[in-house]
Amino acid sequence: TIVDCTNLSDIPFVFQKSSIIVSPNPATDRIDFSEKVKSISIFDLNGRMVKSSVINGMSLPVTELSSGVYILQYETDNELLQTKLIKE
């Protein structure tokens, strides 16, 4: 299930540990996932969604993001997870 949120404060769950690896982190031009991801949302630290995409894959370009720290929310077939993402 995808939660339709425009602000980070609207997300009704907490960070949880996952077996999915997001790398490289810090990232420069793309991030790779160790398993297939269905969709992503990226939030800045003010809670604004800066990118949202259905990817159905294991890689995502992040060249358009400014350098900084973000919250990456991603959905697999059976999980909705979050992690910190650093863009260089």
Side-chain angles (χ1 to χ4, degrees):
T1 302
I2 296 176
V3 177
D4 184 19
C5 303
T6 55
N7 281 314
L8 192 59
S9 61
D10 294 337
I11 300 173
F13 41 83
V14 296
F15 288 90
Q16 57 188 99
K17 191 146 177 85
S18 169
S19 61
I20 298 175
I21 298 169
V22 179
S23 65
N25 196 0
T28 54
D29 59 347
R30 76 165 203 260
I31 53 174
D32 298 309
F33 299 92
S34 62
E35 295 179 26
K36 185 177 177 183
V37 173
K38 294 168 56 175
S39 64
I40 63 93
S41 295
I42 299 176
F43 298 89
D44 66 17
L45 293 183
N46 292 318
R48 292 182 299 250
M49 184 183 296
V50 296
K51 181 172 180 142
S52 182
S53 180
V54 174
I55 61 172
N56 285 314
M58 296 175 62
S59 184
L60 176 76
V62 293
T63 52
E64 74 282 0
L65 295 177
S66 300
S67 295
V69 179
Y70 297 90
I71 303 301
L72 172 65
Q73 174 184 304
Y74 54 101
E75 181 186 15
T76 66
D77 284 333
N78 54 10
E79 291 181 293
L80 185 59
L81 303 160
Q82 294 178 329
T83 192
K84 179 172 67 171
L85 172 66
I86 300 170
K87 170 65 168 60
E88 292 184 330

